[in-house]
Amino acid sequence: MVSTVARVVNYIKKHLVGKTLAVVKAEHDENVFGKVGTSAAEVEKALTGKKVLDAKQQGKYFCCKFHLLIRSRIVMASPPHPLFHFGMAGWWKIRNEETAYYKPTKPEKSVWPPKYWKIQLETAEDPKSEHAFVDFRRFGRVRLVDCAGDDMRKVSPLKGNGPDPVIDKDILTEEWLVEKLQSKKIPVKALLLDQANISGIGNWVGDEIHPEQYSNTLTPAQMKQLHTSMQYVCSTAVELLAESDKFPETWLFKHRWGKGKRDDPKKLPNGAKIEFLTVGGRTSAVVPSVQKKTGKVAGDVVRAADEGDRDLQDQKGQKQNTKSLNGAKALAGTEGKESQPAETSQSRKRKAKDNSKEIVEDRNGDSIADTGRENDIPSKRQKSQPKGTANGGSSTHVSTSSVKKGAQASKAGKANPDSKIKEPTQSEAKPSIDNKKSDGSRRQPVRVSSRRS
C-alpha cells in the first residue's frame, strides 16, 4: 500500500539521508535477492562506503539515491541504486526507533539485529544509526538498478508500473481513469490492484465500489466518484503515514477486519452487514446495502456460464442416450417398439448370477430340479473326463446333492491341474434315472439355462 511505503521513506529521510554507510551486511536469500537477479554479496559491495542522497517512492516501491565518497568528497555519481519492494510482510526497522504503523498485540523484545533480517546498515557518523530490512515471509525483493538516480522510473521494473495516485496526480486524472476503466472488461477490484494500471493501490483501498462489477459497466457518476475517493483515501493515508488509528471512522477500513470470528459479526455502526468476497485473488469487503450493482458482475457471469455448460452437457447426454437406444433396437430387431432400459453393470451381474443356476437334463427330457444354489452345477473337469474314470463309468451326471463338491473340486483342479478330483461315492449320490440307451451306449448330459425362452 502506498501509505506504508510513504511511512518508511519518511523514516529513511529522517535518519539515513545525508549519512555514509560504514557497514553493510546482507544475508543471502534466493527469494529476496536471487529471484530478481542479484545476491547479498553484490548488495554489500554496491552500498558499502556510499552516502545516501535521497529516498523516493513509486507505488509500493521505494529506492535510495547514493553517491560514492572518496576522501570525504563527492566526486561522481555511482549506480547501481537499491530498489526495495516489501511484498506481503517486509518492513524497515531502525534501532531504538519504532517504525511500525500499528501496535503489535504482544510487545516485541528489543533485540538487534532483529529476526528475519535480510540487510543491515550502519552509518559512519555519530550518533550512529542502525537500520535493517526484514521479511519473515520472504515475498519482498531487493534489486540493484544500474542507472542514474533520476532515471530509475524509466527502467524496469518501475517503467512497467502505472501512475502513482499521490505523486502523479497530473497523470492520473479523471479522464485518464475513465479511459482506463472503459478499455478493459475485468472486475474493477482486479483492475485497481494490478500495479501495471495504477501503482500503490492496496487491497483495502480497492473496496470503495462493488469489487466484482466489470470496469466497463460503471456509470459515469460511479467512475467520477471512484476517482475522487481514490485520490482522497490515498492522500489522507499518506499524510497520516499509514497510522490506521487516525483514519476517519467513516472508512470501511475501520470495520472490515476480523473476518470469520463467530463472536464478532462484521457490521457497520449503523447495523449494515459486511460481506466478504474473493476478487482478484484477494479478500474484498462489501456492504450490499450501500455498494449497489449497476451492471453484470463477475459472479453472475460465472454462474451463467456454469448453467450454460450444464445445459450443453444435458443435451449431449440426451443425444448419446438416443444413439445408444437406437443401436440397441437395431441389434434386437425391435425398431419401433418401446426400448428397454440400458444394461448396467449391476443388471449384468444379476444376469450372470441367474445363468449360473442351471439344471442337468438328459436327452429324453428327464431333468434334475434346480436347488437354487449357485454352485450346484457340474464342473468342466467332470464333463471332460473320459468314460470309466473317476466314477468308474457308472454314470455320466452327478446328483444335485453332490454338485457343490464337484464345483469346489473344479476350482482346485484349475489351481493344480495334476491334482485328482474326488468324485462323490455311490452312497452319497441319489438314485438317478437309467442313463443307458437301447443300444447300450450312454446318454450325454446337456446344460440348459433355467431361463427358458
Side-chain angles (χ1 to χ4, degrees):
M1 170 59 192
V2 62
S3 60
T4 57
V5 177
R7 183 179 182 86
V8 168
V9 170
N10 174 75
Y11 278 104
I12 290 177
K13 286 183 175 182
K14 180 179 178 181
H15 295 278
L16 202 58
V17 169
K19 297 183 179 180
T20 305
L21 301 181
V23 178
V24 178
K25 296 180 181 179
E27 184 75 22
H28 186 69
D29 186 305
E30 192 59 31
N31 284 357
V32 176
F33 299 100
K35 286 190 174 182
V36 288
T38 189
S39 67
E42 290 174 325
V43 170
E44 288 181 355
K45 181 179 179 180
L47 304 187
T48 302
K50 286 187 177 180
K51 184 176 182 179
V52 182
L53 297 183
D54 199 0
K56 296 182 178 182
Q57 80 171 92
Q58 179 186 345
K60 297 181 181 182
Y61 286 92
F62 74 95
C63 58
C64 296
K65 183 178 176 183
F66 290 91
H67 276 213
L68 180 64
L69 277 181
I70 297 180
R71 295 181 182 177
S72 300
R73 195 158 55 99
I74 297 175
V75 293
M76 59 182 294
S78 59
H81 304 281
L83 179 66
F84 298 86
H85 191 289
F86 282 150
M88 294 291 291
W91 194 244
W92 192 272
K93 292 195 172 187
I94 302 175
R95 192 168 190 175
N96 299 324
E97 180 80 22
E98 185 56 65
T99 61
Y101 57 92
Y102 62 92
K103 294 180 180 179
T105 55
K106 295 181 180 180
E108 296 182 358
K109 295 181 180 180
S110 180
V111 179
W112 199 267
K115 291 177 65 176
Y116 312 113
W117 68 272
K118 305 302 175 183
I119 297 178
Q120 289 188 64
L121 307 175
E122 184 179 322
T123 61
E125 295 82 0
D126 289 327
K128 295 181 185 240
S129 182
E130 297 180 66
H131 300 243
F133 173 68
V134 299
D135 185 7
F136 76 92
R137 295 188 67 178
R138 304 170 62 215
F139 288 125
R141 300 292 183 262
V142 179
R143 293 172 169 85
L144 291 175
V145 181
D146 194 3
C147 70
D150 293 334
D151 295 334
M152 291 187 68
R153 296 191 65 178
K154 299 177 182 179
V155 299
S156 182
L158 295 184
K159 73 173 183 178
N161 284 7
D164 186 297
V166 177
I167 65 176
D168 295 323
K169 291 182 179 181
D170 57 330
I171 299 175
L172 211 167
T173 61
E174 182 181 330
E175 293 74 20
W176 182 95
L177 181 61
V178 169
E179 182 179 354
K180 177 67 69 174
L181 292 170
Q182 292 179 338
S183 68
K184 297 180 180 293
K185 186 181 179 181
I186 59 175
V188 64
K189 177 70 174 285
L191 184 148
L192 295 174
L193 292 182
D194 188 346
Q195 301 300 295
N197 297 320
I198 303 174
S199 293
I201 297 295
N203 186 39
W204 63 266
V205 177
D207 288 341
E208 180 63 29
I209 200 165
H210 197 291
E212 285 184 313
Q213 186 163 338
Y214 280 112
S215 60
N216 63 342
T217 67
L218 300 179
T219 64
Q222 285 179 313
M223 288 185 277
K224 180 178 181 180
Q225 182 60 49
L226 179 60
H227 179 266
T228 301
S229 297
M230 180 174 59
Q231 296 282 9
Y232 163 65
V233 171
C234 291
S235 297
T236 303
V238 167
E239 291 172 5
L240 297 175
L241 296 178
E243 292 185 23
S244 56
D245 291 343
K246 298 179 181 179
F247 288 174
E249 291 296 323
T250 56
W251 284 13
L252 180 58
F253 173 90
K254 304 287 283 189
H255 312 283
R256 75 185 302 278
W257 311 105
K259 173 190 173 185
K261 293 182 179 179
R262 295 183 180 180
D263 57 344
D264 185 23
K266 293 291 96 184
K267 293 182 180 180
L268 294 179
N270 63 2
K273 184 179 179 181
I274 301 176
E275 296 181 353
F276 295 92
L277 304 171
T278 300
V279 182
R282 305 293 297 277
T283 298
S284 299
V286 179
V287 182
S289 61
V290 178
Q291 294 163 291
K292 304 291 186 180
K293 302 176 185 178
T294 60
K296 284 188 175 182
V297 300
D300 295 338
V301 174
V302 171
R303 284 190 290 273
D306 289 342
E307 292 174 358
D309 290 343
R310 285 194 294 272
D311 292 341
L312 183 61
Q313 291 174 358
D314 291 342
Q315 293 174 5
K316 290 182 178 180
Q318 291 174 359
K319 291 181 179 179
Q320 291 176 352
N321 290 339
T322 302
K323 291 180 179 179
S324 300
L325 291 174
N326 290 338
K329 288 178 181 179
L331 291 174
T334 60
E335 291 185 349
K337 297 182 180 181
E338 184 178 353
S339 60
Q340 297 294 327
E343 187 178 36
T344 63
S345 59
Q346 291 183 349
S347 63
R348 287 194 294 269
K349 289 180 180 179
R350 285 195 297 270
K351 184 176 180 180
K353 182 176 180 180
D354 292 339
N355 290 339
S356 68
K357 298 178 180 180
E358 297 177 341
I359 63 172
V360 179
E361 185 181 79
D362 62 27
R363 293 182 184 278
N364 289 335
D366 298 324
S367 63
I368 299 171
D370 181 17
T371 63
R373 292 178 295 181
E374 296 179 20
N375 294 325
D376 286 359
I377 58 173
S379 67
K380 294 180 180 179
R381 182 85 172 178
Q382 289 171 314
K383 292 201 303 181
S384 62
Q385 285 178 342
K387 297 178 182 180
T389 61
N391 60 2
S394 62
S395 178
T396 57
H397 70 275
V398 293
S399 65
T400 55
S401 63
S402 61
V403 170
K404 188 172 183 179
K405 296 181 180 179
Q408 293 173 345
S410 175
K411 293 181 180 179
K414 289 181 180 179
N416 186 2
D418 296 331
S419 65
K420 294 182 179 181
I421 301 175
K422 183 179 179 180
E423 296 294 333
T425 62
Q426 293 290 340
S427 61
E428 294 173 337
K430 291 181 180 179
S432 62
I433 63 174
D434 187 7
N435 198 34
K436 292 185 179 180
K437 293 182 180 180
S438 58
D439 59 359
S441 62
R442 295 181 179 276
R443 297 186 179 93
Q444 296 295 327
V446 293
R447 296 163 61 90
V448 181
S449 172
S450 61
R451 300 178 64 180
R452 297 175 185 269
S453 58

